[in-house]
Amino acid sequence: MDDMFKPSRRAFLRGGAAIAAGSVAGSVAAQEADPLITELQDWASYTGAGVDETPYGLPIRFESDVVRRNVEWLTASPISSINFTPIHALDGTITPQGCAFERHHSGAIELSKQDYRLMINGLVDRPLVFTYDDLERFPRENHVYFCECAANTGMEWAGAQLNGVQFTHGMIHNMEYAGVPLRVLLQEAGLDAAGDLSDKWVYVEGADASSNGRSIPMEKALDDVLVAFKANGEALRMEHGYPVRLVVPGWEGNMWVKWLRRIEVTDAAVESREETSKYTDLYADGTARKWTWVMDAKSVITSPSPQMPIKHGTGPLVISGLAWSGHGRITRVDVSKDGGITWETARLGKQLDTKALTRFYLDTEWDGSPMLLQSRAIDETGYVQPTKDQLREKRGENSVYHNNCIQTWYVNAEGIAENVEVS
Amino acid sequence: MSKSLSGIYLPVFGGIALVCGVAIAVANRGYGNSQIETLQTRLAQVEAQKASALTEAEESAARLAELETRLSELESKAANAVVGGEPVAAHEGSFGLGRPALPEEIAAWNVDVLPDGRGLPEGSGDVFTGEEVFAEKCAACHGDFAEGVDNWPVLAGGFGTLANEDPVKTVGSYWPYLTTVWDYVHRSMPFGEAGTLSADETYAIVAYILYSNDLVDDEFELNQDNLATFEMPNRDGFVIDDRPQREYAEWRTEPCMENCKDSVEITRRATFLDVTPDDGEDSAMAAGDDAETPTFTAASAATEAPSDQVAAEPAAAEVDPDLVAAGKNVFKKCSACHQVGDGAKNRTGPHLNGLFGRTFGSVEGFGYSSVFKAANDEGRVWDEAELDAFLAKPKAYMKGTKMSFAGLKKEEDRAALNAYLATFGE
């Protein structure tokens, strides 16, 4: 039993020595009794809030900085814009709805369940209209999936630009959905009229003014797409498509149509604005890729990062981050502290689902030397997250979308982290 | 899974060993002979049992191996189902939920237009009408000539720029199908008044967008018959996702773990740009500084020696390349209306070449507001202080300016822009 405690005792002694060496005041302070312990505190004496005070709770005021933020100069108007999940301050994998990023093309709308209608038309046997209540009578499933905007990290193509993981990687969230498989609804409308399904599509559109529409190949529609109405146990938030949104696992967020109002079976892609002028990826030679739906494997260290400097000095350090892949599960994440010269394999957290965020940790010791922190995800197909230079070599710098490069944080001797690029 | 199965089988072996041990211990404690004989008989029985138990155990082990093989098969098969929960079972026939969609309901919502023109309603509109409708309903954001105001999309021009450092993706230079333009304008525009344009108005607006791209002449009329066959310049500019061929094959390999590079230097730093929004007063984010950064080498993880290759130190009183680079980025906010560099022309705003030293309101051919005309009469001259003050609060500093830009709140942004604009001579 004694042996088990030795490492931690050693670490404790080392920590104490560091404080003593650090400053005289520090060592004196450490010897004085902590008034938070020796003196009676208000909260230990007076009573707290009653159960009738907060029918629906929000985070305590000390966490008021853990909020979505936007980058004003990115877009012409906040109504057609995006904000970012504070992933630097979260742990585990589930994103609380209240701080999960938003992307609207004509603003978030208020649409009640009573006013909600979903139409299925086109090449179906029976064009149908469903109410919200109808949807809740179909068999449903629960799945955890990540939703990543295709433009996540898109501002970093030409160089390290935004100094915070919230801004470089925060166009992502991860929720547990309850919803009806799209194939169940398509079968309800009947697909005999569509004939051979291998070259058919579904066109999905929302009820908001942008009527964001995307074409999805039938194979995907019949596979794992969900018509979802609950997230993380409660109703979807307005900004995420209340009362009903589409969930398209592993594929770019733009296809996850919010306020879903219509599903049309077609014999061709509609080539809507969102799949031609936007969400197509321009190559260096001036040609562009279209139908780039899958989000390739990607990871990022969320702490330490520019918004999460090392404040505790040398000694035990938890390096933590997120990894995900639109192709399935994350099987391994490697971490480098020297900009990619040497790699160590990190410990993976709980695997919740395929195409969901995976948390990784590297439990390590920091000796106070500067670090160039990187993480590298590997998914079940064996795909290894590429460096930014590898991506640029293939695509140039103007693709905007699908930047899944390895991210580098420079951590200096003070523990301050900065977004950098390395050779 | 194999661990838990072994856990189930192991106590069988443990149990036998324990029985044997107890029997031998008891035998050695000097009980009566008969008792010893009885015990020896029992011992023999136990040993026989042990032998048969071992045989059984071997059989069990074989069964175990077989089971584990089957389990791993099942496991990989059911991985999705187990982790994600059991899928909804296939259902024979209809649930009978929902109601038939009525023809007039389908007509109201089913308005998307396919590239071959299916979905286009009857109607027409010409360039002349389009110009009027565009000026009234679109120009506030997209500009009178579809050139885009502020950060709003530019709809015209940009031809031949797609392979440039700064490509301009417009309807003319980028959009592959005209049906997409019609469909989008009809359903989603104007911003804040979507769905209010008639079919004829939409045809007219799209005709005008073509005209502003020099793709048709001013006599042109667009209608349901000539729209889908109109060939857009970038129609063949797209390839279907070829990541599997061009990238996956190469990047699905076992990665390097040690000595993957000889050395690593920092080549770019985000803090020099300072375009990140403030994180509140207690921001932990690093401020831009020119502190030296180390080179990392394969021999020792981090050496303290600063690198010469790392982000060049700004030379005193000379052009600071990082500041200029930052200014170039800030200028993106201005570039919708102002041009700089070779061949810069007046757009929504005057060109900004040779700005410093030039008299206010003096660019030829640009229609200035009266406040700039007055400043011109006074002989006021642009310098860094004037520009800084103007950009801090444009509308307050030059009351009556046509420039709709709200200004640059951050002093660093204004300093960067100053440095950037100073690089453009006459």
Side-chain angles (χ1 to χ4, degrees), chain A residues 127 129 141 163 188 203 210 262 264 267 271 280 283 288-290 296 339 343 394-395 418-419 421 423, chain B residues 88 95-96 99 101 110 112 174 180 187 237 239 242 247-248 250 257 261 265 267 269 271 276 285:
Chain A
V129 172
E141 296 177 2
N163 204 30
E188 183 73 9
Y203 177 71
S210 81
R262 196 167 70 93
E264 180 186 0
D267 59 8
E271 303 280 9
T280 49
Y283 280 150
R289 274 180 186 155
K290 67 173 184 178
D296 288 331
W343 295 87
K394 297 284 184 195
R395 308 183 194 167
E418 183 187 338
N419 176 11
E421 275 185 29
S423 56
Chain B
V88 167
F95 288 92
R99 63 162 177 84
N110 186 32
D112 56 282
Y174 196 65
T180 312
R187 271 198 287 160
V239 292
D242 56 358
E247 297 175 4
Y248 296 166
E250 211 171 301
M257 295 297 284
K261 307 175 194 175
E265 287 110 33
T267 52
R269 299 179 59 179
T271 50
T276 311
M285 287 187 279

Side-chain angles (χ1 to χ4, degrees), chain A residues 103-180:
Chain A
R103 168 72 168 120
H104 317 305
H105 297 256
S106 289
I109 57 164
E110 262 190 13
L111 177 59
S112 71
K113 287 177 182 169
Q114 290 73 31
D115 292 342
Y116 179 80
R117 300 288 183 274
L118 174 63
M119 181 187 288
I120 300 188
N121 70 305
L123 301 172
V124 292
D125 307 335
R126 298 171 292 277
L128 293 173
V129 172
F130 300 116
T131 62
Y132 180 83
D133 290 341
D134 290 334
L135 292 182
E136 284 204 344
R137 295 174 67 192
F138 284 102
R140 56 184 179 261
E141 296 177 2
N142 299 162
H143 294 279
V144 177
Y145 292 122
F146 76 82
C147 172
E148 183 185 20
C149 175
N152 200 18
T153 322
M155 290 83 80
E156 303 289 308
W157 276 105
Q161 180 162 249
L162 289 164
N163 204 30
V165 72
Q166 179 171 16
F167 303 107
T168 56
H169 289 78
M171 297 182 193
I172 191 163
H173 58 60
N174 194 59
M175 302 189 195
E176 186 204 45
Y177 296 97
V180 181

Side-chain angles (χ1 to χ4, degrees), chain B residues 139-374:
Chain B
C141 295
H142 296 294
D144 283 340
F145 308 102
E147 77 278 13
V149 175
D150 296 340
N151 251 345
W152 297 106
V154 183
L155 307 180
F159 294 100
T161 67
L162 295 183
N164 292 2
E165 192 184 337
D166 293 308
V168 183
K169 295 191 273 187
T170 73
V171 171
S173 70
Y174 196 65
W175 292 41
Y177 306 105
L178 194 58
T179 49
T180 312
V181 188
W182 197 97
D183 188 19
Y184 184 68
V185 171
H186 183 236
R187 271 198 287 160
S188 310
M189 290 286 118
F191 192 64
E193 271 180 288
T196 59
L197 295 171
S198 69
D200 286 348
E201 282 175 321
T202 310
Y203 280 109
I205 289 170
V206 176
Y208 180 70
I209 294 172
L210 290 177
Y211 174 74
S212 64
N213 276 286
D214 288 330
L215 294 172
V216 296
D217 61 32
D218 56 6
E219 305 279 296
F220 183 76
E221 185 199 89
L222 195 64
N223 56 50
Q224 76 276 6
D225 296 322
N226 65 358
L227 191 143
T229 52
F230 191 91
E231 194 137 322
M232 297 296 278
N234 197 40
R235 188 185 181 105
D236 299 323
F238 294 82
V239 292
I240 293 173
D241 189 3
D242 56 358
R243 285 177 293 176
Q245 300 80 38
R246 287 177 55 122
E247 297 175 4
Y248 296 166
E250 211 171 301
W251 295 343
R252 282 179 177 149
T253 50
E254 187 58 29
C256 171
M257 295 297 284
E258 280 176 358
N259 293 314
C260 305
K261 307 175 194 175
D262 291 333
S263 71
V264 175
E265 287 110 33
I266 293 171
T267 52
R268 285 176 169 133
R269 299 179 59 179
T271 50
F272 286 156
L273 287 180
D274 194 28
V275 290
T276 311
D278 277 340
D279 198 12
E281 282 184 13
D282 302 325
S283 176
M285 287 187 279
D289 61 36
D290 51 10
E292 290 163 345
T293 56
T295 299
F296 291 70
T297 61
S300 64
T303 64
E304 294 303 316
S307 160
D308 291 339
Q309 290 114 304
V310 170
E313 291 283 317
E318 280 179 28
V319 175
D320 175 356
D322 293 314
L323 196 61
V324 170
K328 185 181 180 188
N329 202 60
V330 176
F331 189 74
K332 285 177 186 165
K333 296 181 183 180
C334 321
S335 60
C337 299
H338 293 283
Q339 292 192 341
V340 287
D342 289 344
K345 288 178 194 144
N346 295 334
R347 301 284 295 272
T348 309
H351 78 76
L352 299 176
N353 286 347
L355 179 67
F356 298 125
R358 141 176 143 193
T359 311
F360 276 53
S362 64
V363 172
E364 226 170 279
F366 186 78
Y368 284 99
S369 56
S370 50
V371 65
F372 269 88
K373 284 178 185 160

